[in-house]
């Protein structure tokens, strides 16, 4: 049975990102949708390649048991949800390391004479939920639009995922309770 996988990348359980995670979990439970949370900080995921791991990198082999576990979960995933803060206009290092270490050759993609072919086509859609201090328009037009250009159009497309949606709660440090509540209500509809 296919399920939803949530990749959560924030170290603080008191953060608004954690409130987002809780809201998504509640919405999935209300709909009786099976899901699994990969909490990178809680799992103490090491985003840095070791010398040993790099020896096997070109072969597409993982030696970290957590990476192998994450790969097995992704094989069962039809809807992937990413929840993370935008730091320095980009993904947190732990999430970048997740893509570096988990999305290995022969698992997420293969090289063919015609170019790279994505293998994670069972993931039908990705929902990216972020928070930022910067306004969303600034991230898009002056901050390099990293979520769209790097994550959606490059990384996700390369591994075989063509349907993605990004929502961002911007100016998180100045947002009102009303704005945050409205954002959380919107998320319930996103996973329906």
């Amino acid at each position: 049975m296919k399920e939803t996988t949530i990749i959560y990348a924030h170290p603080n359980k008191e953060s608004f990102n954690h409130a987002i995670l809780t809201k998504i979990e509640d919405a999935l439970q209300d709909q009786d949708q099976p899901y699994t949370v990969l909490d990178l900080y809680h799992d103490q995921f090491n985003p840095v390649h070791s010398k040993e791991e790099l020896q096997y990198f070109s072969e597409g082999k993982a030696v970290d048991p957590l990476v192998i576990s994450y790969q097995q979960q992704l094989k069962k995933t039809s809807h992937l949800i990413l929840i993370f803060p935008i730091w320095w206009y980009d993904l947190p290092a732990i999430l970048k390391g997740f893509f570096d270490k988990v999305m290995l050759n022969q698992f997420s993609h293969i090289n063919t004479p015609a170019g790279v072919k994505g293998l994670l086509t069972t993931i039908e859609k990705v929902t990216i939920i972020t928070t930022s201090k910067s306004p969303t328009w600034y991230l898009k037009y002056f901050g390099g639009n990293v979520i769209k250009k790097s994550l959606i159009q490059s990384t996700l497309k390369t591994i075989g995922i063509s349907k993605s949606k990004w929502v961002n709660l911007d100016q998180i440090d100045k947002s009102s309770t009303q704005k945050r509540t409205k954002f959380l209500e919107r998320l319930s509809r996103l996973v329906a």
Side-chain angles (χ1 to χ4, degrees), residues 97-115:
F98 175 90
F99 284 103
D100 289 347
K101 290 178 72 170
V102 175
M103 302 304 175
L104 295 174
N105 188 21
Q106 305 301 318
F107 167 70
S108 67
H109 64 282
I110 55 171
N111 297 310
T112 71

Side-chain angles (χ1 to χ4, degrees), residues 34-52:
Y35 71 93
T36 298
V37 177
L38 306 180
D39 184 337
L40 303 183
Y41 283 97
H42 181 266
D43 293 347
Q44 297 182 349
F45 174 69
N46 180 358
V48 180
H49 278 289
S50 68
K51 184 177 179 181
E52 179 188 13

Side-chain angles (χ1 to χ4, degrees), residues 72-87:
Q72 290 169 346
Q73 178 58 39
L74 289 171
K75 287 178 186 177
K76 301 185 291 186
T77 301
S78 59
H79 182 193
L80 183 63
I81 300 174
L82 305 174
I83 302 170
F84 61 92
I86 295 176
W87 291 336

